[in-house]
Amino acid sequence: MKHTHKRNTDLILSDYLYNFIKSTLEKNDFSQFKKIIDDFSLSSLLNPREIQMSISNNLDHQIKSPYFLSDQKENEKINREIKCFNFLLNYTALKNFSIIPILTLINQNYQNYLIEYLNRLLSPNIIKELSSKYGLEPINIIENINFSLTNCQKINEDEVSGINILLKQLNYSVKTYFTFYRVGALILFLGKEKNINPAIYLKELWDHTNPEDANRFIQNKTPVQFDLLWITYIQLFGGRNDELWSNSAFELGLGYNDYHGSENYLYQYYILMITRCIQSNNSTIFPDIDNINLTNTNQQYYLKEIFLFVNLFINESCKFNDHCDFLIENSDNWEILFKNKSKEALKGTKKWINDTISKFNEQLIKIKAKMDVDPQKIEYFSKLVLDEYGKNSLLNELTDVKPYTYDSNNPLEFNSIALNIPNLKKEWFFKENFSHPNHFFSSYSNEIVNREIQHVYKTLNIEPNIQEILINNFLPHNIYHLIKSESIKLKENGLNPSIIFMPSSWIKRFVEEKIGGSFSLNLEENLSLNIIKSIPKYEYENIIILDKSAGLWMYKPILNNNRLCVEITKNEADELSMKILIKTTINYSILHPNRAIRLKFDYNIFK
């Protein structure tokens, strides 16, 4: 039987309630604490899961006559609306309590649509059609439709069990149960700092209505929800969709005087609570994860929620295990909570955590394979590649650059400079993914930049009409003076030498001899060459001095006259991967070979 007495619970604000209990605990007033728990146990407050279940059942039983849903399109829409509402109710509302008042508006819109649909069925033509289709008397069909209309109104507006009333109750219930979750963590803190016995207080909080000598079944429950999904959502998001909520020093009202943090106590309380769940054979954290239809595109929102939840649980698993180890080491403190088998129970929890992680990792592979990528993420990373290329490309310093326009009298042979990466992580492109792989895309852009530079260098290095001078004195100062004298000659001929390609090993020697810098080579007052140095992947054999007008870089323009094409698409061979193609189609020709000089190292002198 369930005892109740009237209590205006709506007047009790969560903060006031928490602070009142905190004051009671700090005084170590066990009698007062027991009275508080007793008051809530005797109140008519239902736990959040019971309320959510009642709302879901009400929605499922609004329309009982299947022939009302003979229109497949309407049937699918109604089922879709119900599933979406249940998702918001059972998952999103756990993550963020502020969504609950909004559910009232969503439900009202759905009810209006449903009533409008049922009223349409009362049309004489539709009644006649339904009568013929199902072999029923028109009067019976009309009665059933009117019954469903009345049922919709009752389910929505009933003063005791209507959905609107239940949503109000849920809004209060989640905040109250969350308050007592914080109270549980506070008890652990005060057990460490204020010399109260935390196990006795937790025992009272958990088992006030279920003492060991109870001789009958009692329906009254304390304001504690032993449900793995509920507890984990609270621990992960704090009822406000904030993954960092537990880091706040003030979350438990601590920190004002001596700057204590809340995190350790919240994690430890979470471990103790899930241990009680597991000991009660309630060890399934996500009941639907094995049954979800991974091929149903209408369940993408559900896949995304599981993806977020599972990822965060896995990320938090190290903390879960660390705090579990701490509690195992101090298991003697918790014997009263676990029938004198606390160490065994807590070790079982650690095993459950690791088993759950393994299971989640397996499910994560399936979920990621079926989740849709976010077009905005694709656009974001494509733009990132283009922006990085625009910032880092040196083409305009190395050569004249022009877009190609077709000329039948001057056909050109084009080359592609391309980068094809077939194994990008698909999860990078989920809206729900908050990793930061930007540096990968920056590196792809830089690779194209390096390949363009290498193409310019190779073309110059093999051009037979460029003047070539042998270097047969390998002293850095001699090479420097050779570079200087040849650059001055180019300048005296009315040219503008501004670039020098140099092997990185020689740049290092120039720097050591203090005859040049890492980025530029100053030859005289108005003559300086920007250094393009080789990198290990693209080594230079020779030194090349260049006036950029020596060559012309023609490119086939892409959208908006871009030089670069970026395509991010699915990898059909791997459901967990995306692929990126970055490509530019170009022709680089040496039009004026006299505007460049190639200094070739003559290694034959050593033979």
Side-chain angles (χ1 to χ4, degrees), residues 64 203 230 334 366 387 393 417 480 518 533 547 601:
K64 295 184 179 179
K203 178 71 173 174
W230 158 266
W334 314 112
K366 299 176 185 177
D387 289 347
S393 176
I417 296 176
Y480 170 81
S518 298
K533 64 181 176 181
D547 177 327
F601 291 96

Side-chain angles (χ1 to χ4, degrees), residues 313-332:
F313 186 92
I314 292 170
N315 291 341
E316 291 285 279
S317 60
C318 287
K319 288 183 179 179
F320 293 158
N321 275 317
D322 288 345
H323 287 288
C324 198
D325 287 338
F326 174 81
L327 291 170
I328 290 170
E329 289 175 11
N330 298 277
S331 59
D332 289 348

Side-chain angles (χ1 to χ4, degrees), residues 357-446:
I357 292 166
S358 297
K359 179 179 179 180
F360 277 177
N361 277 319
E362 292 173 8
Q363 289 290 345
L364 206 52
I365 294 172
K366 299 176 185 177
I367 292 167
K368 285 191 282 192
K370 297 302 179 184
M371 276 180 68
D372 291 336
V373 296
D374 179 19
Q376 290 184 346
K377 278 287 186 82
I378 291 177
E379 183 180 349
Y380 169 80
F381 287 120
S382 299
K383 186 175 183 301
L384 177 63
V385 171
L386 291 172
D387 289 347
E388 287 294 309
Y389 173 78
K391 285 192 297 184
N392 298 324
S393 176
L394 298 177
L395 270 185
N396 288 320
E397 297 179 30
L398 303 180
T399 178
D400 291 331
V401 180
K402 290 182 180 180
Y404 171 72
T405 52
Y406 179 72
D407 183 356
S408 58
N409 296 319
N410 184 27
L412 295 176
E413 181 179 336
F414 280 84
N415 299 299
S416 287
I417 296 176
L419 181 66
N420 190 357
I421 308 291
N423 57 349
L424 305 181
K425 291 183 178 181
K426 185 181 178 184
E427 63 197 78
W428 289 349
F429 303 93
F430 296 157
K431 186 176 182 179
E432 298 71 21
N433 184 62
F434 302 108
S435 62
H436 301 283
N438 293 27
H439 59 288
F440 287 103
F441 293 90
S442 296
S443 70
Y444 303 152
S445 173
N446 290 331

Side-chain angles (χ1 to χ4, degrees), residues 397-585:
E397 297 179 30
L398 303 180
T399 178
D400 291 331
V401 180
K402 290 182 180 180
Y404 171 72
T405 52
Y406 179 72
D407 183 356
S408 58
N409 296 319
N410 184 27
L412 295 176
E413 181 179 336
F414 280 84
N415 299 299
S416 287
I417 296 176
L419 181 66
N420 190 357
I421 308 291
N423 57 349
L424 305 181
K425 291 183 178 181
K426 185 181 178 184
E427 63 197 78
W428 289 349
F429 303 93
F430 296 157
K431 186 176 182 179
E432 298 71 21
N433 184 62
F434 302 108
S435 62
H436 301 283
N438 293 27
H439 59 288
F440 287 103
F441 293 90
S442 296
S443 70
Y444 303 152
S445 173
N446 290 331
E447 177 61 20
I448 292 292
V449 169
N450 288 330
R451 291 185 184 188
E452 287 180 338
I453 294 170
Q454 183 68 4
H455 186 80
V456 171
Y457 171 81
K458 278 190 171 182
T459 305
L460 291 166
N461 199 45
I462 63 174
E463 171 59 47
N465 296 316
I466 288 179
Q467 181 187 0
E468 185 172 276
I469 300 172
L470 292 178
I471 298 175
N472 48 35
N473 187 324
F474 285 69
L475 292 174
H477 282 274
N478 287 330
I479 295 174
Y480 170 81
H481 287 296
L482 179 60
I483 292 170
K484 181 176 180 179
S485 64
E486 295 301 325
S487 298
I488 290 173
K489 288 178 185 177
L490 288 173
K491 189 176 180 182
E492 289 173 346
N493 289 330
L495 300 178
N496 181 29
S498 58
I499 295 294
I500 183 167
F501 292 88
M502 288 186 71
S504 56
S505 58
W506 281 101
I507 295 171
K508 183 179 179 182
R509 292 190 66 183
F510 272 35
V511 170
E512 290 172 349
E513 297 286 336
K514 298 182 180 180
I515 54 177
S518 298
F519 303 103
S520 65
L521 195 60
N522 295 319
L523 303 175
E524 58 181 24
E525 185 176 351
N526 295 315
L527 182 56
S528 178
L529 303 179
N530 291 326
I531 295 174
I532 308 296
K533 64 181 176 181
S534 64
I535 58 177
K537 191 174 181 180
Y538 301 114
E539 290 289 354
Y540 299 156
E541 302 168 10
N542 303 310
I543 296 173
I544 296 176
I545 304 168
L546 178 68
D547 177 327
K548 64 176 280 188
S549 64
L552 176 62
W553 184 282
M554 301 281 285
Y555 67 92
K556 288 186 177 179
I558 316 296
L559 186 66
N560 297 326
N561 206 31
N562 281 323
R563 294 202 297 261
L564 212 59
C565 167
V566 181
E567 295 178 354
I568 300 176
T569 55
K570 290 181 179 179
N571 184 342
E572 301 299 337
D574 183 359
E575 288 184 310
L576 297 176
S577 297
M578 299 285 285
K579 59 185 179 181
I580 186 170
L581 172 64
I582 308 171
K583 183 174 76 171
T584 180
T585 304

Side-chain angles (χ1 to χ4, degrees), residues 180-244:
F180 279 97
Y181 186 85
R182 293 166 62 213
V183 166
L186 176 65
I187 288 170
L188 297 184
F189 167 75
L190 294 175
K192 177 174 177 264
E193 297 293 323
K194 304 293 184 181
N195 297 319
I196 73 169
N197 188 326
I200 290 176
Y201 277 94
L202 289 184
K203 178 71 173 174
E204 185 64 25
L205 175 61
W206 292 1
D207 296 326
H208 175 77
T209 61
N210 188 33
E212 294 177 2
D213 58 355
N215 57 9
R216 58 180 172 171
F217 176 73
I218 299 174
Q219 287 183 302
N220 298 74
K221 303 292 182 185
T222 65
V224 180
Q225 180 73 64
F226 286 107
D227 178 280
L228 278 171
L229 187 64
W230 158 266
I231 300 168
T232 306
Y233 261 101
I234 291 299
Q235 180 59 33
L236 294 181
F237 301 105
R240 64 197 72 165
N241 198 17
D242 179 3
E243 297 172 18
L244 301 177

